[in-house]
Amino acid sequence: MDEKRSRDVWVFAEQRNGELHDVSLELLGKARELADKTGSRVAAVLMGYHVHKLAQTLVNHGADMVFVADEPRLENYRLLPYTHVFESMIKEHGPDIVLMGATAMGVELAPRVAARVRTGLSAHCVDLKLNENGNLLQVVPGWGGGVVATIACPDHRPQMSTVMPGTMKALPEEERKGQIEEIYVDLPDSNMGPEVLGVERVVAGEQPLEKAEVVVAGGWGVGSEENWSLLEELARLLGGAVGATRPPVDEGWAREGQMIGQSGKTVRPTLYIGAGISGAMHHVVGMDQSKHIISINSNPDADIFEASDVIVAEDFMKILPPLIEEIKSRIK
Amino acid sequence: MNRIIVCMKPVPDPKHWDKVSMDPETKTLKREGIPNIMNPLDKHALEAALALRESHGGEVVLLSMAPPFAKTTIREGLAMGADRAVLLSDRVFAGSDSLATAEILAAGCRWIGDFDIVLCGNLSIDGSTAQICSQLAEMLDLPNVMHVTGLEESAGGNLVITQKIENGYVRLASGFPVVLSVRKELNKPRYIPFTGILAAESKEIAMLSNKDLCVDPEHIGLEGSPTKMAGLEVRKFERKKEKLEGTVDDVVKKLLERIYQCGVIEC
Ligand SMILES: Cc1cc2nc3c(=O)[nH]c(=O)nc-3n(C[C@H](O)[C@H](O)[C@H](O)COP(=O)(O)OP(=O)(O)OC[C@H]3O[C@@H](n4cnc5c(N)ncnc54)[C@H](O)[C@@H]3O)c2cc1C
Ligand SMILES: Nc1ncnc2c1ncn2[C@@H]1O[C@H](COP(=O)(O)O)[C@@H](O)[C@H]1O
């Protein structure tokens, strides 16, 4: 193996339309922590067109250096050109670790890059740490979250992971100094895969569930759209966001973007309050890293209680209305 | 259209996942007594293939890497309408991670040959890596698109693909051959017709081992997989589990106290 090796930790700085995805900043926070343990550097990989202005943001969130590949053919994300550029950067600099968000883009790009450079990749990680040899341990939920596996990649470099958005913490932005290095892009003209015909943005208008300090979540037990408004009111009073299990989304009480769990979002708020939720693993994996968990369920044997700090074994309709009134009167 | 390959993974039925436990000695999962089903998204991939066959002709071939007992699940796919199946089964494949699996499936695709599209599910419910589509395409040196929620053919004979991303969609134009992985919004899988069950009995399931595929032994199985399992636990929770008791009034008061203690509101 005559390729270069370093101990550097890389983060793919995902952007569309000049907007960085939050997960990239979260990953920089984690990368900083890992790199500081081994005394190595954090580098961000930024690709696109007219994206230089983002480089300083990456530095301010913890990157020691930023590799920028800026050119018209990279304006829209396209899998094969991005893979090509990523591959040549990895071969040139030999990073030890490469982290990417488990986003639509990340889950498509990361496996292609890992296969191209023939290394291991673990998917949808929720935690990352170093073992005594300085190897990366990647914690991934499997089987709907009922099983947690720790994956290592001892003999291949780089060690690559895609990481669930919302599971790592970004460092606060502060003015820092970093090196910004322009990458010369050498793309073949042919065989660059599907052409982008257009990108259609659906206006989000959703509360940033993953960022909320308080999440009030409801399940099938909430029973109706009318009852659902109680959750919304409580969330509003606590300055939080409303989340859901799958059934309320299927029923139309909540939107798809509010679903928490294996097929939805991962949240780790300071306080999670759940009502009418049974505690299926599929849901629990998305919330069990919350700091405090309060559960209200009329079934005293509900599984969710196993994952709760505070247990209220009552009909939520008896609890939430007086609770809301009480909070209102105190806030006044 | 000449041929469409649908990658189909038999997975343990999630209805029975509570029966999963860990063998404390071998540190492997015990999944005895859990029946297998077709990975749910693979049904959507198969439906897409069958719809394309209806409008453009060609044949639909199922491809699975699994132990021989997977035949039962494969028969379901044949009953749904696939023309034939290829099952890659060999002890040396056991323990393969996504990279190794992709290499084996790629060899299977080459063995089948002459295909226009390879369709996969976006992710499997047990392993849930969602890595196979991109890695298989890389091994085949073909382009690929994940998160597919729409497929049409354009006037020019290209494939027009709708890809779901965060807060929106990307429209892509692709030539052939191409590897795609689909989301459930793409279509609604058809029910298996009774006649299909009968027809499936006589459809061919070709069993191949690595003698047929000749994948580099250093690239497959537990040994050939770059990722290694360093630990495995069946999840348990360590929470305070403090039960609030008393009259409803008492409970509400205590609950409010606990909320204040979290420091999320000021009094
Ligand atoms: C592949 C796959 C992926 C999935 N992904 C997800 C996911 O990402 N997120 C997710 O949430 N689910 C997911 N699911 C679904 C998941 O398995 C469960 O079905 C779901 O989480 C159950 O939601 P629930 O707790 O709201 O409903 P239920 O299980 O029906 O529970 C309702 C609860 O409400 C309680 N209740 C009823 N009335 C009251 C009352 N008046 N007051 C208080 N309590 C009451 C009941 O005691 C019960 O415990 C997935 C499933 C599959 C197969
Ligand atoms: N062993 C396998 N045999 C056939 N297809 C597979 C296999 N493993 C994964 N796939 C395909 O790859 C898709 C994604 O799986 P995964 O990347 O494991 O989440 C599945 O929906 C299948 O279409």
Side-chain angles (χ1 to χ4, degrees), chain A residues 79 104 108 111-112 116 118 124 143 146 148 150 152 194-195 197-198 200 202 288 290-291 306 308-309 311, chain B residues 103 128 134-135 138 142 144 146-147 163 166-169 171 173 228 230-231 233 235 239 241-242 244:
Chain A
L79 176 55
E108 186 180 78
R112 187 108 201 183
R116 179 79 51 96
R118 279 214 79 88
H124 306 113
W143 291 65
V148 181
T150 304
E195 296 285 337
L197 301 174
E200 183 196 333
V202 180
D288 74 335
S290 308
K291 190 137 182 254
E306 289 299 307
S308 306
D309 297 303
I311 295 172
Chain B
E103 186 145 350
S128 309
S134 284
Q135 301 203 312
E138 174 65 22
L142 294 176
N144 73 289
M146 291 184 67
H147 323 297
Q163 177 186 51
E166 290 81 7
N167 305 325
Y169 296 90
R171 303 255 295 163
K228 309 281 180 212
E233 53 176 309
R235 200 129 174 170
R239 287 280 173 181
K241 297 193 233 171
E242 178 201 8
L244 303 188

Side-chain angles (χ1 to χ4, degrees), chain A residues 219-221 245-247 260-264 276 278 282-283 297-298 315-316:
Chain A
W220 176 240
T245 60
R246 171 170 276 176
I260 295 170
Q262 193 202 2
S263 3
S278 61
H282 290 119
H283 178 70
N297 192 310
S298 47
D315 182 344
F316 84 100

Side-chain angles (χ1 to χ4, degrees), chain B:
Chain B
M1 202 77 62
N2 232 331
R3 182 170 292 141
I4 300 174
I5 297 176
V6 177
C7 292
M8 201 272 285
K9 182 181 188 186
V11 294
D13 188 342
K15 281 199 214 99
H16 301 268
W17 283 4
D18 51 349
K19 293 192 197 127
V20 177
S21 61
M22 200 175 61
D23 188 320
E25 310 239 301
T26 60
K27 294 264 177 204
T28 54
L29 288 182
K30 288 202 288 192
R31 42 194 279 186
E32 281 111 64
I34 304 182
N36 279 304
I37 58 167
M38 213 187 298
N39 182 45
L41 285 178
D42 300 355
K43 273 199 179 166
H44 294 265
L46 177 53
E47 175 59 41
L50 297 174
L52 283 166
R53 183 184 66 187
E54 274 149 24
S55 45
H56 300 284
E59 79 166 339
V60 174
V61 183
L62 292 175
L63 176 63
S64 271
M65 180 195 90
F69 64 71
K71 275 187 174 173
T72 327
T73 316
I74 291 174
R75 286 260 177 249
E76 255 180 76
L78 294 172
M80 210 172 127
D83 296 291
R84 61 188 173 98
V86 174
L87 174 56
L88 315 178
S89 243
D90 195 319
R91 269 207 212 116
V92 298
F93 297 158
S96 293
D97 71 356
S98 74
L99 191 71
T101 302
E103 186 145 350
I104 296 162
L105 291 174
C109 289
R110 279 192 217 98
W111 187 89
I112 295 167
D114 215 11
F115 53 86
D116 306 289
I117 307 179
V118 180
L119 277 163
C120 304
N122 222 30
L123 118 169
S124 60
I125 54 172
D126 57 345
S128 309
T129 75
Q131 290 176 181
I132 292 297
C133 174
S134 284
Q135 301 203 312
L136 173 59
E138 174 65 22
M139 301 291 180
L140 291 169
D141 202 13
L142 294 176
N144 73 289
V145 179
M146 291 184 67
H147 323 297
V148 174
T149 57
L151 271 182
E152 302 151 54
E153 208 168 338
S154 74
N158 270 336
L159 207 50
V160 178
I161 300 163
T162 309
Q163 177 186 51
K164 173 97 178 66
I165 58 169
E166 290 81 7
N167 305 325
Y169 296 90
V170 181
R171 303 255 295 163
L172 297 152
S174 170
F176 301 99
V178 64
V179 183
L180 306 174
S181 74
V182 311
R183 287 174 58 104
K184 70 172 192 301
E185 297 94 310
L186 175 64
N187 55 31
K188 194 166 177 291
R190 62 196 64 191
Y191 289 108
I192 295 176
F194 182 64
T195 48
I197 299 175
L198 294 179
E201 291 303 318
S202 56
K203 289 179 180 171
E204 179 203 353
I205 303 180
M207 298 269 285
L208 304 183
S209 72
N210 206 37
K211 287 206 183 69
D212 308 290
L213 296 178
C214 302
V215 183
D216 183 343
E218 305 225 322
H219 285 177
I220 56 178
L222 204 56
E223 286 293 303
S225 295
T227 57
K228 309 281 180 212
M229 187 84 80
L232 188 68
E233 53 176 309
V234 173
R235 200 129 174 170
K236 52 182 187 307
F237 301 100
E238 278 148 32
R239 287 280 173 181
K240 290 195 208 93
K241 297 193 233 171
E242 178 201 8
K243 197 164 175 189
L244 303 188
E245 279 164 319
T247 64
V248 165
D249 269 1
D250 293 341
V251 170
V252 170
K253 276 213 188 71
K254 285 184 197 161
L255 183 53
L256 194 57
E257 257 166 47
R258 300 299 176 276
I259 294 174
Y260 276 116
Q261 283 164 5
C262 297
V264 292
I265 40 175
E266 281 154 35
C267 46

Side-chain angles (χ1 to χ4, degrees), chain A residues 12 23 50 84 88 93 96 102 149 177-178 216 231 256 302 309:
Chain A
F12 174 60
V23 73
H50 294 317
H84 183 90
S88 56
H93 298 279
D96 193 44
K177 280 207 169 45
V216 179
L231 305 182
E256 169 121 28
D309 297 303

